[in-house]
Amino acid sequence: MTAGGMGSGRSRGHLLIVVLALSGLLLVVLVVAPMLLTTFTLPFGGLGFGADCAEAAADREDLSKTARDDIPEDYLKLYKEHGARIGVQWNVLAAIGKRETDHGRSTLPGVRSGTNYAGAAGPMQFLISTWGGKPQIDVRSEKFNGYASDGDGDGIGDVYNPADAILGAAKMLKRNGAPDDLRRAIFAYNHATWYVDQVLEIARRYAASGEVETLPDSNPLCDPSYVNGAPSRLVAKILDYALAQRGKPYRWGGTGPDAFDCSGIVYMAYRHAGLTIPRTTFGQWPFGVRIEPGEEQPGDLVFFNTGPGTRPDSPGHVGLVVAPGKMIEARCTNCGPIKVTTYRDRPALVGFTRPLENPEVKEQVRRLGLA
């Protein structure tokens, strides 16, 4: 064997080692990278608003011919993306944009600079005081009270920027009752019943169905705000499961996966998080620690004196609190699909409990390392 042959052998050996090393590195990247992406795109509180949600919003076939002809493409994209991001109907956002400034096409004072006679500015006509005190706000560092939002990622909440203004409008509607109590939410935007009527009529004309519809079901990526408000990772996991059941039917005795009753969805949401609580409403009511009204938080249960065999000290209906004043519930066969509803104005509300404070659940959390 010549020196050259020996050299070639070492080179081939070295090349083989390099190839194997690179193959191992590639395997690590292929296996670990998705795990890292999952970890860091799903931060505490739940689910980030990413490309999947934006694409889902853009691909939905829910536009009427009126909407396609009337709404500028860039505004339509923003209405749909920010509506999905916050959890409000895109066509209601679009209807407000139409009513206020014809989707930014108006040449009246206050649309592109300054304010109108009432002090409103921008394509969604925010009062400067409601926006945060001035038209442009550095939302990364300045302290402010208002709806100033950064919809384009530049760190500035600019009331004249359509991306920022539409995101701010979505937040305002959400905070005041949307997507469920639209009349209340729109009235908060402009305190006039005729304005509410006009916005809802425009929204109907923009929807392919001719109706102001609820949001697409079972996609928590498109409605992260409830999960993001969870007080812990554990509660976020409970909410994540429950919210993913939206749109499914009520069925007495149902615990999924296709249908649920009121206590069934609560039971399965907790079970999804690794916890065991009683299966029925009658068992769930005495199980959790009682919570004073106004102190309830996401993950707590809210009970009602309704349903067969119910009485004030033994409520027969339960919902899962997802935000202040909001619960997800499987109500009854004729009440429509599982959805997020309001509870503060509902009759026969008995009280709230916190299953996570039950000693048995605390022990489960400790034993399983779920805290």
Side-chain angles (χ1 to χ4, degrees), residues 48 66 200:
T66 298
L200 290 175

Side-chain angles (χ1 to χ4, degrees), residues 184-246:
R184 176 185 174 187
I186 299 168
F187 187 83
Y189 205 96
N190 188 327
H191 299 322
T193 55
W194 58 262
Y195 179 88
V196 176
D197 293 338
Q198 287 185 7
V199 167
L200 290 175
E201 178 56 33
I202 297 169
R204 292 186 186 96
R205 293 203 302 264
Y206 281 163
S209 65
E211 299 293 337
V212 181
E213 298 176 328
T214 56
L215 295 169
D217 300 310
S218 304
N219 188 357
L221 280 176
C222 289
D223 189 6
S225 55
Y226 293 128
V227 179
N228 286 340
S232 68
R233 292 178 185 272
L234 183 57
V235 173
K237 193 168 185 179
I238 293 169
L239 299 190
D240 184 18
Y241 179 90
L243 290 166
Q245 311 314 313
R246 284 173 293 179

Side-chain angles (χ1 to χ4, degrees), residues 52-370:
D52 290 342
C53 183
E55 291 171 5
D59 291 342
R60 282 163 45 200
E61 295 296 329
D62 53 2
L63 279 72
S64 67
K65 185 178 185 302
T66 298
R68 295 179 189 280
D69 292 343
D70 186 49
I71 306 174
E73 190 63 33
D74 54 342
Y75 271 72
L76 177 61
K77 181 175 183 290
L78 293 171
Y79 293 138
K80 300 194 84 174
E81 287 188 3
H82 290 321
R85 175 179 180 178
I86 300 302
V88 302
Q89 292 89 338
W90 73 266
N91 53 326
V92 174
L93 275 175
I96 290 175
K98 174 68 173 179
R99 178 62 185 77
E100 295 291 350
T101 67
D102 192 22
H103 309 301
R105 291 179 291 219
S106 172
T107 58
L108 292 173
V111 178
R112 295 176 179 82
S113 64
T115 63
N116 68 5
Y117 69 93
M124 301 303 280
Q125 291 291 277
F126 271 97
L127 294 174
I128 295 299
S129 59
T130 305
W131 185 251
K134 57 183 180 179
Q136 288 87 22
I137 297 174
D138 187 336
V139 299
R140 298 163 299 187
S141 58
E142 295 183 46
K143 293 182 179 180
F144 63 95
N145 291 317
Y147 291 98
S149 302
D150 176 17
D152 60 359
D154 65 357
I156 304 298
D158 185 347
V159 75
Y160 304 109
N161 182 328
D164 297 351
I166 291 169
L167 177 57
K171 290 179 179 178
M172 186 173 183
L173 292 173
K174 182 77 171 187
R175 191 172 298 177
N176 288 283
D180 304 299
D181 193 346
L182 284 175
R183 295 197 68 88
R184 176 185 174 187
I186 299 168
F187 187 83
Y189 205 96
N190 188 327
H191 299 322
T193 55
W194 58 262
Y195 179 88
V196 176
D197 293 338
Q198 287 185 7
V199 167
L200 290 175
E201 178 56 33
I202 297 169
R204 292 186 186 96
R205 293 203 302 264
Y206 281 163
S209 65
E211 299 293 337
V212 181
E213 298 176 328
T214 56
L215 295 169
D217 300 310
S218 304
N219 188 357
L221 280 176
C222 289
D223 189 6
S225 55
Y226 293 128
V227 179
N228 286 340
S232 68
R233 292 178 185 272
L234 183 57
V235 173
K237 193 168 185 179
I238 293 169
L239 299 190
D240 184 18
Y241 179 90
L243 290 166
Q245 311 314 313
R246 284 173 293 179
K248 295 182 180 180
Y250 173 93
R251 181 182 301 144
W252 187 83
T255 55
D258 300 321
F260 299 81
D261 66 10
C262 66
S263 57
I265 189 172
V266 171
Y267 171 76
M268 290 304 296
Y270 271 80
R271 184 171 175 180
H272 174 74
L275 303 174
T276 299
I277 66 172
R279 162 65 185 87
T280 68
T281 306
F282 297 121
Q284 290 170 2
W285 168 244
F287 183 79
V289 172
R290 303 290 172 85
I291 301 298
E292 290 296 317
E295 296 182 3
E296 72 274 10
Q297 62 186 24
D300 292 345
L301 308 186
V302 52
F303 293 85
F304 301 86
N305 181 20
T306 59
T310 186
R311 58 184 186 274
D313 61 344
S314 184
H317 181 60
V318 63
L320 176 66
V321 176
V322 296
K326 299 280 189 176
M327 64 179 172
I328 186 166
E329 64 170 339
R331 190 170 182 180
C332 70
T333 303
N334 297 322
C335 298
I338 295 169
K339 55 184 174 292
V340 174
T341 61
T342 58
Y343 60 74
R344 284 180 177 160
D345 297 329
R346 282 271 286 273
L349 194 158
V350 174
F352 304 88
T353 71
R354 186 166 297 160
L356 291 176
E357 291 298 318
N358 179 282
E360 295 178 23
V361 175
K362 283 186 170 183
E363 176 59 23
Q364 294 176 42
V365 171
R366 186 200 64 78
R367 188 174 68 253
L368 298 174
L370 298 175

